[in-house]
Amino acid sequence: MQKAILRIQWKACWHLVIASSVAAFALPVVSVRLGWYSAAANLPLFLTELQLWGFFYPLLAAVTALIIALGIWLSDRRGQHVYALLLPVPRSRYVLYRYAAGVVLLVPIAVALWAGALVATSGLDLPPGIRIFPHALALKFALTLLLLFGLAFALASASTRTIGIAIRLVGLFLAVHVAVILLAPHTNLLWMTLKARATWPGPLAALGGR
């Protein structure tokens, strides 16, 4: 069944995987090569440009994870999950098969970025003391992609009722946040929550850092 689900998901998302792989390969090549050719004589400017380009990596991972997760569950949501109910397997195992097949679809994208990072950094005549980390960059991108895919996959696989409950909870939190701001202006629950999630050991720590 795992092979059948993988085949179905590949047919539904192959164009998304190819487009994301091309973008993942091009991002390090464009950012490093363009920055090097335009600012090679000014090393601080080159490093600043690379740091600015770094914001596109989590953005690419987020967009890729979201579109693939939505593509995986699109047919099920159109059919009101009738197909899953007809299968002779528990829904939990069916969801696990879907998730595993989705992770397999992420592999070419992570490999494409790793190849792009190797191509981008090959042949650069960097000054002493400046090192390049294509393997570490690719590994962090792969972990970020896996993390965001898990979140997007859970959201896409949820029922309309579950999504509605989640939206209500978020609205309740925002209402409490506004009330706290009015009573204690120096207390920002939203910022505290985001900071706790986006810094180590928070679950979204991979999105930050250099």
Coordinates of all heavy atoms in Angstrom, one line a residue, residues 100-161:
A100 N 4.7 9.4 5.2 CA 5.9 8.9 4.7 C 6.1 9.1 3.3 O 7.3 9.4 2.8 CB 5.9 7.3 5.0
A101 N 5.1 9.0 2.5 CA 5.2 9.3 1.0 C 5.5 10.7 0.8 O 6.3 11.1 -0.1 CB 3.9 8.9 0.3
G102 N 5.0 11.6 1.6 CA 5.3 13.0 1.5 C 6.7 13.3 1.8 O 7.4 14.2 1.1
V103 N 7.2 12.7 2.8 CA 8.7 12.9 3.2 C 9.6 12.4 2.0 O 10.6 13.1 1.7 CB 9.0 12.1 4.5 CG1 10.5 12.1 4.7 CG2 8.2 12.7 5.6
V104 N 9.2 11.3 1.3 CA 10.0 10.9 0.2 C 10.0 11.9 -0.9 O 11.0 12.2 -1.6 CB 9.4 9.5 -0.3 CG1 10.1 9.2 -1.6 CG2 9.6 8.4 0.7
L105 N 8.9 12.6 -1.1 CA 8.8 13.7 -2.1 C 9.7 14.9 -1.8 O 10.0 15.6 -2.7 CB 7.3 14.1 -2.3 CG 6.3 13.1 -2.8 CD1 5.0 13.7 -3.0 CD2 6.8 12.5 -4.1
L106 N 10.0 15.0 -0.5 CA 10.8 16.2 -0.1 C 12.3 15.9 -0.4 O 13.1 16.9 -0.4 CB 10.7 16.4 1.4 CG 9.3 16.8 1.9 CD1 9.3 17.0 3.4 CD2 8.7 18.0 1.2
V107 N 12.7 14.6 -0.5 CA 14.1 14.3 -0.7 C 14.7 15.0 -1.9 O 15.8 15.6 -1.8 CB 14.3 12.8 -0.7 CG1 15.7 12.4 -1.1 CG2 13.9 12.2 0.6
P108 N 14.1 14.9 -3.1 CA 14.7 15.6 -4.3 C 14.9 17.1 -4.1 O 15.9 17.6 -4.6 CB 13.7 15.3 -5.4 CG 12.9 14.1 -5.0 CD 12.8 14.2 -3.5
I109 N 14.0 17.7 -3.3 CA 14.1 19.1 -3.1 C 15.4 19.4 -2.2 O 16.1 20.4 -2.5 CB 12.9 19.7 -2.4 CG1 11.7 19.3 -3.3 CG2 12.9 21.2 -2.2 CD1 10.3 19.6 -2.7
A110 N 15.5 18.7 -1.1 CA 16.7 18.9 -0.3 C 18.0 18.6 -1.0 O 19.0 19.3 -0.8 CB 16.6 18.0 1.0
V111 N 18.0 17.5 -1.8 CA 19.2 17.1 -2.6 C 19.5 18.2 -3.6 O 20.7 18.6 -3.8 CB 19.0 15.8 -3.3 CG1 20.1 15.5 -4.2 CG2 18.9 14.7 -2.2
A112 N 18.5 18.8 -4.2 CA 18.7 19.9 -5.2 C 19.3 21.1 -4.5 O 20.2 21.7 -5.1 CB 17.3 20.3 -5.8
L113 N 18.9 21.5 -3.3 CA 19.5 22.6 -2.6 C 21.0 22.3 -2.3 O 21.9 23.1 -2.4 CB 18.8 23.0 -1.4 CG 19.3 24.3 -0.7 CD1 18.2 25.3 -0.5 CD2 20.0 24.0 0.6
W114 N 21.2 21.0 -1.8 CA 22.6 20.6 -1.5 C 23.5 20.7 -2.8 O 24.6 21.2 -2.7 CB 22.6 19.2 -1.0 CG 24.0 18.7 -0.7 CD1 24.9 19.1 0.2 CD2 24.5 17.5 -1.3 NE1 26.0 18.3 0.2 CE2 25.8 17.3 -0.8 CE3 24.1 16.6 -2.3 CZ2 26.7 16.3 -1.1 CZ3 25.0 15.6 -2.7 CH2 26.2 15.4 -2.1
A115 N 23.0 20.2 -3.9 CA 23.7 20.3 -5.1 C 24.0 21.8 -5.6 O 25.0 22.2 -6.0 CB 23.0 19.6 -6.3
G116 N 22.9 22.6 -5.4 CA 23.1 24.0 -5.7 C 24.1 24.7 -4.8 O 24.9 25.6 -5.3
A117 N 24.1 24.4 -3.5 CA 25.1 24.9 -2.6 C 26.5 24.5 -3.0 O 27.5 25.3 -2.9 CB 24.8 24.5 -1.2
L118 N 26.7 23.3 -3.4 CA 28.0 22.8 -3.9 C 28.5 23.5 -5.1 O 29.6 24.0 -5.3 CB 28.0 21.3 -4.1 CG 27.8 20.4 -2.9 CD1 27.8 18.9 -3.3 CD2 29.0 20.6 -1.9
V119 N 27.5 23.7 -6.1 CA 27.9 24.4 -7.3 C 28.2 25.9 -7.0 O 29.1 26.5 -7.6 CB 26.7 24.3 -8.3 CG1 26.9 25.2 -9.5 CG2 26.6 22.8 -8.8
A120 N 27.4 26.5 -6.1 CA 27.6 27.9 -5.8 C 28.9 28.2 -5.2 O 29.6 29.2 -5.4 CB 26.5 28.4 -5.0
T121 N 29.4 27.3 -4.3 CA 30.6 27.5 -3.6 C 31.9 27.0 -4.2 O 33.0 27.2 -3.8 CB 30.5 26.9 -2.2 OG1 30.2 25.5 -2.3 CG2 29.4 27.6 -1.4
S122 N 31.7 26.2 -5.3 CA 32.9 25.6 -6.0 C 33.6 26.7 -6.7 O 33.0 27.5 -7.5 CB 32.5 24.5 -6.9 OG 31.6 25.0 -7.9
G123 N 34.9 26.7 -6.6 CA 35.7 27.7 -7.3 C 35.8 29.1 -6.8 O 36.4 30.0 -7.4
L124 N 35.2 29.4 -5.7 CA 35.3 30.7 -5.1 C 36.6 30.9 -4.4 O 37.0 30.1 -3.6 CB 34.2 30.9 -4.0 CG 32.7 31.0 -4.6 CD1 31.8 31.3 -3.4 CD2 32.6 32.1 -5.6
D125 N 37.3 32.0 -4.7 CA 38.6 32.3 -4.2 C 38.4 33.2 -2.9 O 38.6 34.4 -3.0 CB 39.5 33.0 -5.2 CG 40.9 33.2 -4.7 OD1 41.3 32.5 -3.7 OD2 41.6 34.0 -5.2
L126 N 38.0 32.5 -1.8 CA 37.7 33.3 -0.6 C 38.9 33.7 0.1 O 39.9 32.9 0.1 CB 36.8 32.5 0.3 CG 35.4 32.2 -0.3 CD1 34.6 31.3 0.7 CD2 34.6 33.5 -0.5
P127 N 39.0 34.8 0.8 CA 40.2 35.2 1.6 C 40.3 34.3 2.8 O 39.4 33.6 3.2 CB 39.8 36.6 2.0 CG 38.4 36.7 1.9 CD 37.9 35.8 0.8
P128 N 41.5 34.2 3.4 CA 41.8 33.4 4.6 C 40.8 33.8 5.7 O 40.5 35.0 5.9 CB 43.2 33.7 4.9 CG 43.8 34.2 3.7 CD 42.8 34.9 2.9
G129 N 40.3 32.8 6.4 CA 39.4 33.1 7.6 C 38.0 33.0 7.2 O 37.1 32.9 8.1
I130 N 37.7 33.0 5.9 CA 36.3 32.9 5.5 C 36.1 31.4 5.0 O 36.7 31.0 4.1 CB 35.9 33.9 4.4 CG1 36.2 35.3 4.9 CG2 34.5 33.7 3.9 CD1 35.3 35.7 6.1
R131 N 35.1 30.7 5.6 CA 34.8 29.4 5.2 C 33.4 29.3 4.7 O 32.6 30.1 4.9 CB 35.0 28.4 6.4 CG 36.5 28.4 6.9 CD 36.6 27.3 7.9 NE 35.9 27.6 9.2 CZ 35.6 26.7 10.1 NH1 36.1 25.5 10.0 NH2 34.9 27.1 11.2
I132 N 33.2 28.2 4.0 CA 31.8 27.9 3.4 C 31.3 26.6 4.0 O 32.1 25.7 4.3 CB 31.9 27.9 1.8 CG1 33.0 26.9 1.4 CG2 32.2 29.3 1.3 CD1 33.1 26.8 -0.1
F133 N 30.0 26.6 4.1 CA 29.3 25.4 4.7 C 28.2 24.9 3.9 O 27.0 25.0 4.3 CB 28.9 25.8 6.1 CG 29.9 26.4 7.0 CD1 30.2 27.7 7.1 CD2 30.7 25.5 7.8 CE1 31.2 28.2 7.9 CE2 31.7 26.0 8.6 CZ 31.9 27.4 8.7
P134 N 28.4 24.4 2.7 CA 27.3 23.9 1.9 C 26.6 22.7 2.5 O 25.3 22.6 2.4 CB 27.9 23.6 0.6 CG 29.4 23.3 0.9 CD 29.7 24.2 2.0
H135 N 27.3 21.8 3.2 CA 26.7 20.7 3.8 C 25.8 21.1 4.9 O 24.7 20.6 5.1 CB 27.7 19.7 4.2 CG 28.7 19.3 3.1 ND1 28.3 18.7 1.9 CD2 30.1 19.4 3.0 CE1 29.4 18.5 1.1 NE2 30.5 19.0 1.8
A136 N 26.3 22.0 5.8 CA 25.5 22.4 6.9 C 24.3 23.2 6.5 O 23.2 23.0 7.1 CB 26.4 23.3 7.9
L137 N 24.4 23.9 5.4 CA 23.3 24.7 4.9 C 22.2 23.7 4.4 O 21.0 23.9 4.7 CB 23.7 25.6 3.8 CG 22.6 26.4 3.1 CD1 21.9 27.4 4.0 CD2 23.2 27.1 1.8
A138 N 22.6 22.7 3.6 CA 21.7 21.8 3.1 C 21.0 21.0 4.2 O 19.8 20.7 4.2 CB 22.4 20.8 2.1
L139 N 21.7 20.6 5.2 CA 21.2 19.8 6.3 C 20.1 20.7 7.1 O 19.1 20.2 7.4 CB 22.3 19.4 7.3 CG 21.8 18.6 8.5 CD1 21.1 17.3 8.1 CD2 23.0 18.3 9.4
K140 N 20.5 21.9 7.4 CA 19.5 22.8 8.1 C 18.3 23.0 7.3 O 17.2 23.1 7.8 CB 20.2 24.1 8.5 CG 19.3 25.0 9.3 CD 20.0 26.2 9.8 CE 19.1 27.1 10.7 NZ 19.7 28.3 11.2
F141 N 18.4 23.2 5.9 CA 17.3 23.4 5.1 C 16.4 22.1 5.1 O 15.2 22.2 5.1 CB 17.7 23.7 3.7 CG 16.6 23.9 2.7 CD1 15.9 25.1 2.6 CD2 16.2 22.8 1.8 CE1 14.9 25.2 1.7 CE2 15.2 23.0 0.9 CZ 14.5 24.2 0.9
A142 N 17.0 21.0 5.0 CA 16.3 19.7 5.1 C 15.5 19.6 6.4 O 14.3 19.2 6.3 CB 17.2 18.5 4.8
L143 N 16.1 19.9 7.5 CA 15.4 19.8 8.8 C 14.3 20.8 8.8 O 13.2 20.5 9.3 CB 16.4 20.0 9.9 CG 17.4 19.0 10.1 CD1 18.4 19.4 11.2 CD2 16.8 17.6 10.4
T144 N 14.5 22.0 8.3 CA 13.5 23.1 8.3 C 12.3 22.6 7.4 O 11.1 22.8 7.8 CB 14.0 24.4 7.9 OG1 15.1 24.8 8.7 CG2 13.0 25.5 7.9
L145 N 12.6 22.1 6.3 CA 11.6 21.6 5.4 C 10.8 20.5 6.0 O 9.6 20.5 5.9 CB 12.3 21.1 4.1 CG 11.4 20.7 2.9 CD1 10.5 21.8 2.5 CD2 12.2 20.2 1.8
L146 N 11.4 19.6 6.7 CA 10.7 18.5 7.3 C 9.8 19.0 8.4 O 8.7 18.5 8.6 CB 11.7 17.5 7.9 CG 11.2 16.2 8.6 CD1 10.4 15.4 7.6 CD2 12.3 15.4 9.2
L147 N 10.3 19.9 9.2 CA 9.5 20.5 10.3 C 8.3 21.2 9.8 O 7.2 21.0 10.3 CB 10.4 21.5 11.1 CG 9.7 22.4 12.1 CD1 9.1 21.6 13.2 CD2 10.6 23.5 12.6
L148 N 8.5 22.1 8.8 CA 7.3 22.8 8.3 C 6.4 21.9 7.5 O 5.1 22.2 7.5 CB 7.8 23.9 7.4 CG 8.6 25.0 8.1 CD1 9.2 26.1 7.1 CD2 7.8 25.7 9.1
F149 N 6.9 20.9 6.9 CA 6.0 19.9 6.2 C 5.1 19.2 7.2 O 3.9 19.0 7.0 CB 6.8 18.9 5.4 CG 6.0 17.8 4.8 CD1 5.1 18.1 3.7 CD2 6.0 16.5 5.3 CE1 4.4 17.1 3.1 CE2 5.2 15.5 4.8 CZ 4.4 15.8 3.7
G150 N 5.7 18.8 8.4 CA 4.9 18.2 9.4 C 3.8 19.1 9.9 O 2.6 18.6 10.0
L151 N 4.0 20.4 10.1 CA 3.0 21.3 10.5 C 1.9 21.5 9.4 O 0.7 21.4 9.7 CB 3.6 22.7 10.8 CG 4.6 22.7 12.0 CD1 5.2 24.1 12.2 CD2 3.9 22.3 13.3
A152 N 2.4 21.7 8.2 CA 1.5 21.9 7.0 C 0.7 20.6 6.8 O -0.5 20.6 6.5 CB 2.2 22.3 5.8
F153 N 1.3 19.4 6.9 CA 0.6 18.1 6.7 C -0.5 18.0 7.8 O -1.6 17.5 7.4 CB 1.6 17.0 6.8 CG 1.1 15.6 6.6 CD1 1.0 15.1 5.3 CD2 0.6 14.9 7.6 CE1 0.5 13.9 5.1 CE2 0.1 13.6 7.4 CZ 0.0 13.1 6.1
A154 N -0.2 18.3 9.0 CA -1.2 18.2 10.1 C -2.4 19.1 9.8 O -3.6 18.7 10.0 CB -0.6 18.5 11.4
L155 N -2.1 20.3 9.3 CA -3.2 21.3 9.0 C -4.0 20.8 7.8 O -5.2 20.9 7.8 CB -2.6 22.6 8.7 CG -3.5 23.8 8.4 CD1 -4.5 24.0 9.6 CD2 -2.8 25.0 8.0
A156 N -3.3 20.3 6.8 CA -4.0 19.9 5.6 C -4.9 18.7 5.8 O -5.9 18.5 5.1 CB -3.0 19.7 4.4
S157 N -4.4 17.8 6.7 CA -5.2 16.5 6.9 C -6.3 16.7 7.9 O -7.1 15.8 8.0 CB -4.2 15.5 7.4 OG -3.7 15.8 8.7
A158 N -6.4 17.8 8.6 CA -7.4 18.0 9.6 C -8.7 18.2 8.9 O -8.9 18.7 7.8 CB -7.0 19.2 10.5
S159 N -9.8 17.9 9.7 CA -11.1 18.1 9.2 C -11.5 19.6 9.3 O -10.9 20.4 10.0 CB -12.1 17.3 10.0 OG -12.1 17.6 11.3
T160 N -12.6 19.9 8.6 CA -13.1 21.3 8.7 C -13.4 21.7 10.1 O -13.2 22.8 10.5 CB -14.3 21.5 7.8 OG1 -13.9 21.1 6.4 CG2 -14.7 22.9 7.7
R161 N -14.0 20.8 10.9 CA -14.4 21.0 12.2 C -13.1 21.3 13.1 O -13.1 22.2 13.9 CB -15.1 19.9 12.8 CG -15.6 20.0 14.2 CD -16.5 18.9 14.7 NE -16.9 19.0 16.0 CZ -16.3 18.5 17.1 NH1 -15.2 17.7 16.8 NH2 -16.7 18.6 18.3

